[in-house]
Amino acid sequence: MTLAPPLDGPHDGPHEGPHEGPHEGPHEGPRNDQHDGQHGERHGGQDEQDGQDAGRGRFRPAVLRSPLARYLAARLLLVLPTVLLLLTAVFFLMRATGDPVTTAFADRLTPAQLQQKLHAAGYDRPLLTQYLDYLRQVATGDFGRTATDNRAVGEVLLTYGAATLELACWALLVAVAVGVPLGALAARHRDRAPDAVLRLAAVLGYATPVFFVGLLLKLVFAVGLGWLPVAGRASVRTELRLQDLSDPTGIYLLDALRSGDGAATADVLRHSVLPALALGLLLAGVLLRLVRTHLIATLDAEYVVAARSRGVGARRLLTRHAARPALVPVVTVLGLQVAGLLGGAVLTETTFEWKGLGYQLAHYLTVRDFAAVQGIVALFAVVVAVVNFLVDALAALIDPRVRY
């Protein structure tokens, strides 16, 4: 007879203890403790790392956590060293050529009188002292006074800066209107007759000196055909009319439009054509070749080839698929050409007697007017640095790959 074991009784302990105890206690207990310890260490290290990251993030402004914002902030910080470097170079190079007092009065004053004027102007002090004093003045916005006509340099910049700005805008308009469409046309007809002709025209455009182009334009359209004025920003009648305006901007086209005088507006436009062409064609040649090169490279990209294989037309490929990627380097180079544009403005304004900063700079260089030259060059440096920063920002917005 077999007796069934009781449900509750002394057998519970021996059956559960010897079998379950050794399996759960000796094996799982230490393993779980070790696992929990490692897990705790990992969590502790992660918490410490998170705490360090949070600490670093606390001291970083929220706006600089974006890669684009950090990139633009770094580019912006380069503006000041660039301007300072150029100011330093101009300061010492100008003084290596002599001083304006000796240049103006050497033949008319005795040595004692000349020395007295040099002392009054501060040119007999050590060069380093003059340099540090100049930097302190510039930091406060004081660029000094011109030695030739005793005008505040700031007044010179305001008076003639508007004329140079107007000429630069006209030249950029000509360069973009001519260079970009012709570059796209050359890319569309690459290695054919239109492409060869346009490439030759581009080389001639940026290789020919701007003053020579200006003289040719004057000879053909002003002297030969008589279609356009020879020089100046406007006729005498128009200039007198614009000077009577309250708070003139110095930009003749805007002032003429404000006056409501259609004849004055037409006169200003006629005087702007030849200087804008002379300076704009210089940059148009660069843009033409640049647009052509990058459009051809983009048209050979895989995604464009795939779109072409799906039957997308040539015009749509050019305008919708290839144009935007190809414009990124064009925009960048356009900003870099601003320096060349301002340099060309000196020759263009001299050729056409366009009385802007370039025209005045040529005059002040001739008479060695240190304060005036340094003030104009400082303004040019700031303009170039700021424009390059804006171009970097625009390129980063157009193409996210530019962000660092």
Side-chain angles (χ1 to χ4, degrees):
M1 180 171 101
T2 304
L3 297 175
L7 295 177
D8 297 322
H11 293 283
D12 290 347
H15 284 287
E16 292 180 2
H19 294 283
E20 294 182 7
H23 288 283
E24 292 180 4
H27 295 284
E28 294 189 9
R31 184 174 57 195
N32 288 341
D33 292 342
Q34 183 180 5
H35 174 73
D36 292 342
Q38 294 173 353
H39 187 67
E41 290 177 2
R42 284 198 299 268
H43 273 282
Q46 183 65 35
D47 291 342
E48 183 180 355
Q49 182 67 29
D50 292 343
Q52 293 175 358
D53 292 342
R56 285 194 296 266
R58 248 193 325 267
F59 296 103
R60 180 186 296 169
V63 70
L64 293 181
R65 294 175 189 173
S66 166
L68 176 60
R70 290 198 299 272
Y71 167 68
L72 295 181
R75 300 298 299 174
L76 184 60
L77 289 176
L78 291 177
V79 172
L80 185 60
T82 302
V83 175
L84 179 62
L85 182 63
L86 189 54
L87 282 179
T88 303
V90 172
F91 181 90
F92 287 104
L93 287 176
M94 285 295 298
R95 278 153 180 77
T97 64
D99 62 85
V101 175
T102 304
T103 303
F105 301 105
D107 299 332
R108 292 183 287 173
L109 298 177
T110 64
Q113 292 173 328
L114 186 62
Q115 187 62 33
Q116 184 178 1
K117 280 192 170 292
L118 286 172
H119 180 73
Y123 292 129
D124 59 342
R125 295 179 300 166
L127 199 57
L128 183 59
T129 303
Q130 296 182 44
Y131 173 67
L132 294 177
D133 287 345
Y134 174 68
L135 289 184
R136 278 193 290 268
Q137 289 181 351
V138 171
T140 61
D142 180 14
F143 290 94
R145 302 187 70 85
T146 61
T148 51
D149 47 10
N150 196 30
R151 298 175 63 185
V153 175
E155 179 188 346
V156 173
L157 299 180
L158 291 175
T159 303
Y160 297 101
T164 300
L165 175 63
E166 186 175 14
L167 177 60
C169 290
W170 283 121
L172 280 174
L173 181 63
V174 170
V176 174
V178 173
V180 174
L182 292 184
L185 182 64
R188 187 175 180 182
H189 300 282
R190 58 176 167 174
D191 299 330
R192 286 183 281 179
D195 181 26
V197 172
L198 290 173
R199 277 187 291 170
L200 178 61
V203 171
L204 290 176
Y206 66 75
T208 307
V210 65
F211 68 88
F212 183 72
V213 174
L215 291 174
L216 285 181
L217 291 175
K218 289 173 68 172
L219 287 174
V220 174
F221 295 102
V223 178
L225 299 175
W227 291 353
L228 297 168
V230 176
R233 296 181 63 196
S235 63
V236 177
R237 173 191 171 278
T238 301
E239 287 188 345
L240 293 175
R241 174 76 176 85
L242 298 181
Q243 288 174 4
D244 292 337
L245 292 176
S246 60
D247 298 326
T249 63
I251 299 176
Y252 276 9
L253 181 60
L254 293 181
D255 291 339
L257 292 173
R258 286 176 55 202
S259 70
D261 189 341
T265 303
D267 183 59
V268 169
L269 290 174
R270 291 178 67 248
H271 279 80
S272 303
V273 172
L274 293 184
L277 283 175
L279 187 55
L281 290 177
L282 172 69
L283 184 56
V286 177
L287 287 182
L288 194 156
R289 290 183 62 87
L290 194 66
V291 170
R292 175 192 176 274
T293 300
H294 288 283
L295 270 180
I296 289 176
T298 307
L299 287 172
D300 290 337
E302 293 182 358
Y303 71 94
V304 177
V305 174
R308 187 183 293 116
S309 66
R310 293 196 304 268
V312 179
R315 181 183 296 274
R316 185 178 178 84
L317 280 175
L318 190 66
T319 57
R320 297 293 299 274
H321 296 273
R324 182 173 175 177
L327 283 179
V328 175
V330 174
V331 170
T332 304
V333 172
L334 190 63
L336 297 176
Q337 290 297 319
V338 170
L341 197 65
L342 293 175
V346 176
L347 298 175
T348 306
E349 291 179 4
T350 305
T351 303
F352 289 96
E353 297 181 16
W354 185 283
K355 294 186 178 179
L357 286 177
Y359 183 86
Q360 291 300 118
L361 180 61
H363 166 68
Y364 288 132
L365 280 170
T366 304
V367 297
R368 293 192 182 94
D369 196 325
F370 292 167
V373 171
Q374 289 165 178
I376 294 175
V377 171
L379 180 62
F380 282 179
V382 170
V383 169
V384 171
V386 170
V387 169
N388 279 307
F389 167 74
L390 294 177
V391 166
D392 289 338
L394 184 59
L397 292 174
I398 293 176
D399 187 358
R401 295 172 299 177
V402 179
R403 303 175 188 176
Y404 297 100

